[in-house]
Amino acid sequence: MVRARTTTHRRLPVLAATAGLIAGLGIAPAVAAPAAARPPAKTPVAVGYGGAVASVDADASAAGIEVLRKGGNAVDAAVATAAALGVTEPYSAGIGGGGYFVHYDAKSHRVSTIDGRERAPLGAGADLFLEKGRPIPFADAVTSGLSVGTPGTPATWDTALRSWGSRSLGQVLKPAERIARDGFTVDATFRRQTADNESRFKDFPATAALFLPGGRLPAVGSTLKNPDLARTYEQLGRQGIGALYRGDLGRDLVRTVRKPPVDPKSRRVARPGGLTERDLAAYAAKEQAPTRTTYRGLDVYGIAPSSSGGTTVAEALNILEHGDLSDLSEKAYLHRYIEASRIAFADRNRWVGDPAQESVPTKALTSKAFAGARACLMSDHRTLTSPLAPGDPRHPVPCGTRGKAAATPYEGDNTTHLTVADKWGNVVAYTLTIEQTGGSGITVPGRGFLLNNELTDFSFVPVTPGVHDPNLPGPGKRPRSSISPTIVLDHGRPAFALGSPGGATIITTALQTLLNHVDRGMPLVDAIAAPRASQRNAATTELEPALWNSPLRGRLEALGHAFKENPEIGAATGVQRLPDGRWVAAAERVRRGGGSALVVHPDGPLPRH
């Protein structure tokens, strides 16, 4: 059993040398390359003054930096970056989807959040994905109007700008509008994602015309333009989001959902959805309190339900705080991280849904008392068995469980995340999505954006027969998410912020990156680059190749762990405030083609001590 320890404040690392897990695996340290060797478009780390932006895409990060250079704040830059991602990362995000926005205000030292999750139609019931009492095939549900929820991204942008921004929607959409009109350069990741969707994209003429120019996959190095989206952004900037929620843009969207425009020559059956103009008019992004816990003297803030990200990361941290991770071997460290993830996911699956329609014990799930009761399940000498039964956060009993275990259902993994800071100290961590790679596959004709398939995040039927499932569909209900944008404060000031795409692996990616940085002493860019493991209350834990092929796997298997290989888990970004006032922007080195970290005024390398 893991011994309890007193919580102590831990100084965050700023060195550019990697220790701990990476060194233990024999992987070369992830240090910044000399300036002459860096790719001109993408760099994984940047340091300097004036603010910072980190995303998966160079054009999108540059859009955010452009807004910061013109005097905009972190919120303005975050919306500009997100809008640009809707152009260059259209299979991951866009105005046809939704997301979650976490904001730190430097004046008030407060963290606030926006739930911009998509909603089911008001006419939807628990049988949304059932036919003759049986769930329809998952792939059929994805590529259909049935899977399309009311988009929340435009409302999120508008809410954030009105609450904390300093620029209008029209102003911050200009960089993305320009990229859509002039085009962006197709890279290998974009071509591969297009190829993965080629067969279904061909079945929708508007999608094929946009993403399969001339009926062929776009060539790497070619320029892809989206004039329809440029006009859509221009309209949103001029008319406001009412164009979508109460205007002609919304009418086009509803028409597309209710009668998916399939090629007449195709054999595809794309089921119609029930979305209406009333659903659009009734939608609102929700400003709500964040989740909060403390960890090693730091304050950790996340997104509350309808996402399970904040509660699950907080519970796992609270469990892990019962032992010191800093001096453990790689084997012992990963074992505890995996076990804490397993326990937290057992509780997440049972208790988290849309709080507007479900009784979600958010405060109890993130409490130290509940974590203490669950931590006693862990042992350094054996492995728990999944699926593990949940505990009862409202009435915690040491090592107690309540009812049957609930497995973790599949979630699409191609979301995107951006992290932004400005010269005043404001910070944004924002994760947005259309769910699967390519969403529903359905482009709104003449509008230039794909529709989401977020409603497939609902459980089609109860995960465990006879046990209440808080994530069944319902009228106007938000499906449960795993999105986990996280902001960490040190005595009320920003220490760092991070987030990732990856479906249910988002939670473990955010958790492991935070632990690598805080407990294992890795600089943020190295904490992001470190090889990942993901346990989600399943029989096997997923490992990236660097862990799969390492001797560490065998040592963990000797404890009872079972593994399967996952070629890539997540694609994180983050920002960190250095003691001298500079910002570090950090992104992936390799995953998803590498990320783009930029600062307004570059100012040399990370300090070395």
Side-chain angles (χ1 to χ4, degrees), residues 513-529:
T513 303
L514 189 153
L515 296 174
N516 286 343
H517 186 49
V518 174
D519 287 302
R520 305 299 282 179
M522 295 182 188
L524 189 57
V525 66
D526 294 347
I528 288 170

Side-chain angles (χ1 to χ4, degrees), residues 541-563:
T541 298
E542 295 176 10
L543 297 181
E544 287 189 322
L547 286 170
W548 176 263
N549 296 319
S550 77
L552 186 55
R553 174 163 66 100
R555 297 184 201 126
L556 288 166
E557 286 172 339
L559 285 176
H561 290 279
F563 298 108

Side-chain angles (χ1 to χ4, degrees), residues 393-470:
R394 300 164 302 185
H395 306 288
V397 175
C399 301
T401 57
R402 183 184 188 278
K404 299 179 182 178
T408 302
Y410 172 76
E411 292 179 31
D413 60 3
N414 212 35
T415 300
T416 195
H417 178 81
L418 61 97
T419 324
V420 180
D422 63 30
K423 63 184 178 182
W424 298 284
N426 304 300
V427 179
V428 171
Y430 180 24
T431 314
L432 59 160
T433 181
I434 59 171
E435 179 59 5
Q436 299 279 123
T437 307
S440 65
I442 304 170
T443 298
V444 180
R447 297 300 190 170
F449 64 91
L450 286 157
L451 293 172
N452 70 83
N453 68 291
E454 292 295 348
L455 301 189
T456 59
D457 269 356
F458 282 123
S459 304
F460 288 16
V461 294
V463 172
T464 303
V467 176
H468 176 71
D469 189 331

